[in-house]
Amino acid sequence: MHRSAPRLSRILACAAVPVMLVAAGCSSDAEGDKDAKSAKPTPSVSAEPTVKPAAFSKLPEPCESVKKKTVDSLVPEAKDKSGTADKSNDVSARGGCAWNGLDSKGVDGSQYRWLSVSFMRYDSDPSRGPGDKLAEEYYAKQVDAAKATEGAKKVTAKPASGVGDEATAVTYDLRKTDADFKYATVVTRTENVVATVVYNGAGYQGAKSPKAADLLKDAQKAAKEAADSVAAANK
């Protein structure tokens, strides 16, 4: 009897092991189910709003945006044929250039001409919108500003075909420096860039003022070159 008792104890201990393992396994599964039920789904992170990238990332050199031969034709006696560039703290977003000169005709008087081109470029912004839409807003403001020029008379505005994605030509008369000036302003938008060309002239010392139709034709030519130079600068 003394020898069989220890053997019986060992058999009973071994038989109990599977029961303990099964119990432990069941306990583990129950806790896992409990954790799974109590776990909360992780909220998804909403993506930031996206906008279409702007088509153009830079501007042309303003004083080179209008061809030299065009400048020579529109401003025959320009003081500085290379033009006077506007000061800008961000040449990739805005810039401009101007030419002016007085062409003496002797006894027939003198002809004054002034030509300017300015650019404004917009980047796309998630909070403000696509660059081309922002340019559309600025384009409309430029047209309205030209039509509302103080002292302007005989104001007309009409679409200018063949210039950029959209363009408007504004013409008017303006009396200043004891002369009757004729003005032609062409505002054009190409994708996310707006170009504004202003061309005006007057006759002095008995010379007649330039014809409005001729002035407008020349302004549209300069505006088309300015608009085309935007795409060329981004190739």
Side-chain angles (χ1 to χ4, degrees):
M1 293 294 293
H2 292 288
R3 292 182 179 178
S4 62
R7 183 179 180 185
L8 179 59
S9 298
R10 287 197 299 271
I11 293 173
L12 292 174
C14 292
V17 171
V19 177
M20 293 172 65
L21 291 175
V22 172
C26 292
S27 174
S28 177
D29 290 344
E31 290 178 359
D33 292 342
K34 182 179 179 181
D35 291 341
K37 292 178 180 178
S38 62
K40 295 181 179 180
T42 303
S44 59
V45 179
S46 59
E48 292 185 1
T50 59
V51 293
K52 181 181 68 174
F56 300 126
S57 60
K58 60 182 179 179
L59 293 176
E61 170 58 47
C63 292
E64 297 176 3
S65 62
V66 178
K67 295 178 182 177
K68 185 179 182 299
K69 64 179 181 179
T70 301
V71 173
D72 290 341
S73 175
L74 273 57
V75 190
E77 296 296 329
K79 293 179 182 179
D80 185 351
K81 291 186 179 296
S82 61
T84 302
D86 294 348
K87 293 181 179 180
S88 173
N89 57 4
D90 186 358
V91 294
S92 69
R94 62 183 64 84
C97 190
W99 301 260
N100 71 87
L102 185 66
D103 185 14
S104 177
K105 300 294 184 181
V107 295
D108 294 327
S110 301
Q111 288 289 333
Y112 175 81
R113 294 291 185 274
W114 190 84
L115 172 69
S116 74
V117 58
S118 61
F119 294 95
M120 183 67 78
R121 186 187 67 83
Y122 289 88
D123 283 320
S124 295
D125 187 292
S127 62
R128 300 179 61 200
D132 57 347
K133 296 300 180 183
L134 296 174
E136 284 181 4
E137 295 174 5
Y138 181 73
Y139 165 83
K141 290 179 180 179
Q142 286 292 89
V143 172
D144 290 342
K147 293 190 292 185
T149 300
E150 184 176 359
K153 297 179 179 179
K154 298 180 181 179
V155 180
T156 65
K158 60 182 180 180
S161 59
V163 184
D165 294 332
E166 59 180 333
T168 299
V170 181
T171 62
Y172 54 87
D173 295 347
L174 187 64
R175 177 76 179 179
K176 64 178 186 178
T177 61
D178 297 326
D180 294 318
F181 276 73
K182 299 287 185 180
Y183 272 77
T185 298
V186 181
V187 184
T188 177
R189 180 188 66 82
T190 305
E191 294 286 358
N192 57 310
V193 176
V194 175
T196 303
V197 169
V198 180
Y199 185 45
N200 64 71
Y204 283 96
Q205 299 171 327
K208 294 182 178 180
S209 296
K211 293 181 179 180
D214 293 339
L215 209 69
L216 175 58
K217 181 179 179 180
D218 289 339
Q220 288 179 315
K221 179 180 181 180
K224 187 177 189 311
E225 291 180 5
D228 291 345
S229 72
V230 175
N234 284 271
K235 286 184 178 179

